[in-house]
Amino acid sequence: MLSKDEILAIVAGELSRSDVIYDSDNETALSYYLGLPNGTEVEGRSHVVSTDVADAIEWILPQVMKSFTQNNEVVAFDPVHDGDERQAELESQYVYEVLMKQNDGFIILHQFVKDALMQRNGILKVYYAKKDTYKIASYTGINREQLEILIADESVEILEKSDYVDALQTQMKQQQIQMQAQQLEQNPQAKHLIPKLMAEFNIPVYLYDVKISAKRSQGKIYVDPVPPEDFRVNSTHNSINLDGARFTAHLIRKTVSDIITEFKLDKKDVLDFPEAGTDYSTSYRFAMQGEDDTNNESDDPSQAVKDVVECYMMIDTEGHGIARPMKITVVGSENPTDLLSIEEIDGYPWVSTTTFLMS
């Protein structure tokens, strides 16, 4: 059984030897697309820049998008046996529902195709996850029974609570007690119940105003576009199909709040993680489009950003000599410092394409 340090060492070695689908050609391609000056201009001569790259991409992009989105079908499943027609139709509709409605399908496909056209590789990550959402709600004038039902739910946390006497309900309660006491007076065998009944007479009826936070966990299939510069693959892999890759990884910037919520860690431990670096970032995209991403840090410690790498790899953690596909999540892009999680998986989550397919 491999130790935590041994697993981190293997991951670090794979990361150092893996290819990043990013180089200066990506910047050059974006520069051509944006029609930026190439830096070789001469004073007094023409500074005209051709936009052929943008024209070609924007001409072909709508045609490719149409093939994915027309007829309300992203893919069409074929029936395999007699009687499978209805099942195949439902599967086709389900895929469309997941991608186009549960996810922002048009934008996702647009990014996927445009990355492939402009930067040679388009990558999507498809996975199922449960995410917590918090809803704030306020209730006014509820009685004791309603309050107890509300707080019986373990996912509900009371943020604020106040109580006050309901004069009308208190008066009605006292009148009912008086009527019951009078009836008991006429029954010698039940007179002993009167003191207990009258003890309730001076207890007022309270109403409550509460503000709560309700946590809801909802699972769904997510489809995320992955920037080429944030993706890694082992350098010897020679196919656009990533299912057979020995090592793939996705570098993600996560906030302290996200890490605490997702991995159930202590705040102090997460704050001690190293700050996010600048390797393989998307800064060039901002800079080339005239935007500044260097002054985007929040003063809120919960929004501090850390480098988290999701590694999907073949590894023998048991020492039996048989590697199995595992998802290993670590902190740190080049030299991982902490192991966040490790789990066995059925397969890789990647969908990849390219416009320049090489044998």
Side-chain angles (χ1 to χ4, degrees):
M1 182 86 177
L2 294 180
S3 67
K4 171 185 171 181
D5 290 339
E6 289 173 327
I7 293 174
L8 285 173
I10 293 174
V11 171
E14 292 285 8
L15 284 169
S16 66
R17 292 187 295 268
S18 61
D19 283 340
V20 183
I21 305 182
Y22 165 78
D23 53 32
S24 59
D25 287 347
N26 293 56
E27 295 188 34
T28 302
L30 181 57
S31 177
Y32 286 165
Y33 177 85
L34 296 173
L36 299 178
N38 58 24
T40 60
E41 290 75 19
V42 178
E43 183 69 26
R45 297 187 180 181
S46 174
H47 289 187
V48 174
V49 178
S50 171
T51 59
D52 290 353
V53 172
D55 295 341
I57 291 175
E58 296 304 325
W59 175 78
I60 196 174
L61 188 57
Q63 300 178 58
V64 179
M65 290 296 297
K66 183 179 179 181
S67 67
F68 281 108
T69 57
Q70 65 182 353
N71 302 326
N72 291 338
E73 283 187 348
V74 179
V75 295
F77 286 83
D78 294 327
V80 178
H81 305 290
D82 291 339
D84 287 348
E85 291 79 8
R86 180 55 179 164
Q87 180 65 27
E89 181 183 348
L90 288 173
E91 289 171 355
S92 301
Q93 293 174 355
Y94 177 72
V95 171
Y96 183 84
E97 172 77 20
V98 169
L99 178 61
M100 304 302 292
K101 296 183 180 180
Q102 296 182 19
N103 292 272
D104 197 353
F106 182 84
I107 298 298
I108 290 169
L109 288 174
H110 193 281
Q111 291 175 301
F112 179 59
V113 174
K114 197 164 189 176
D115 274 344
L117 291 172
M118 190 193 316
Q119 300 189 323
R120 296 179 294 184
N121 289 97
I123 302 168
L124 297 178
K125 183 168 70 172
V126 184
Y127 60 99
Y128 176 86
K130 284 188 176 183
K131 295 188 177 180
D132 295 336
T133 58
Y134 294 86
K135 181 179 179 181
I136 305 298
S138 298
Y139 298 87
T140 58
I142 62 175
N143 58 35
R144 183 67 187 180
E145 290 76 15
Q146 292 170 324
L147 176 63
E148 290 176 351
I149 293 173
L150 188 64
I151 63 178
D153 188 341
E154 294 181 355
S155 65
V156 171
E157 177 186 359
I158 294 182
L159 303 178
E160 299 176 5
K161 185 179 78 168
S162 60
D163 57 68
Y164 51 92
V165 175
D166 185 341
L168 179 60
Q169 291 294 328
T170 300
Q171 183 180 4
M172 292 176 61
K173 172 187 173 183
Q174 291 175 341
Q175 290 174 352
Q176 291 176 352
I177 290 176
Q178 288 176 338
M179 293 175 60
Q180 292 174 1
Q182 291 174 0
Q183 293 174 356
L184 292 175
E185 283 283 354
Q186 300 173 4
N187 185 354
Q189 296 180 349
K191 279 188 176 181
H192 66 281
L193 298 176
I194 293 178
K196 182 178 180 181
L197 184 64
M198 295 306 296
E200 293 286 329
F201 185 85
N202 294 322
I203 300 177
V205 176
Y206 285 94
L207 295 180
Y208 302 88
D209 293 344
V210 295
K211 182 178 181 181
I212 66 166
S213 171
K215 183 177 76 171
R216 296 292 181 262
S217 295
Q218 183 176 11
K220 76 167 193 175
I221 296 173
Y222 291 86
V223 183
D224 295 339
V226 178
E229 60 267 27
D230 290 343
F231 183 76
R232 310 279 189 89
V233 61
N234 63 284
S235 57
T236 57
H237 187 65
N238 60 358
S239 172
I240 191 64
N241 184 355
L242 297 170
D243 288 344
R246 186 187 71 217
F247 177 84
T248 59
H250 181 199
L251 170 61
I252 313 169
R253 302 293 173 83
K254 288 183 180 286
T255 65
V256 168
S257 175
D258 290 337
I259 296 174
I260 292 173
T261 302
E262 182 176 351
F263 298 99
K264 314 302 180 187
L265 299 177
D266 292 334
K267 173 185 174 182
K268 182 181 181 302
D269 294 336
V270 178
L271 288 174
D272 288 340
F273 289 161
E275 295 297 323
T278 58
D279 295 335
Y280 312 111
S281 71
T282 57
S283 296
Y284 79 96
R285 295 181 186 263
F286 291 90
M288 296 179 72
Q289 297 181 72
E291 301 175 15
D292 181 14
D293 74 327
T294 60
N295 188 27
N296 60 358
E297 294 183 359
S298 172
D299 294 330
D300 181 0
S302 73
Q303 297 304 301
V305 179
K306 312 292 182 180
D307 278 336
V308 174
V309 185
E310 291 181 357
C311 303
Y312 299 83
M313 57 190 295
M314 299 296 296
I315 184 173
D316 173 23
T317 57
E318 301 295 331
H320 300 320
I322 305 296
R324 295 174 298 171
M326 308 286 285
K327 176 186 176 183
I328 300 176
T329 307
V330 299
V331 176
S333 58
E334 284 299 326
N335 295 299
T337 59
D338 294 89
L339 180 64
L340 294 179
S341 68
I342 178 169
E343 58 182 296
E344 189 168 354
I345 55 177
D346 294 328
Y348 292 172
W350 313 117
V351 177
S352 59
T353 190
T354 183
T355 51
F356 302 97
L357 188 61
M358 301 294 290
S359 299

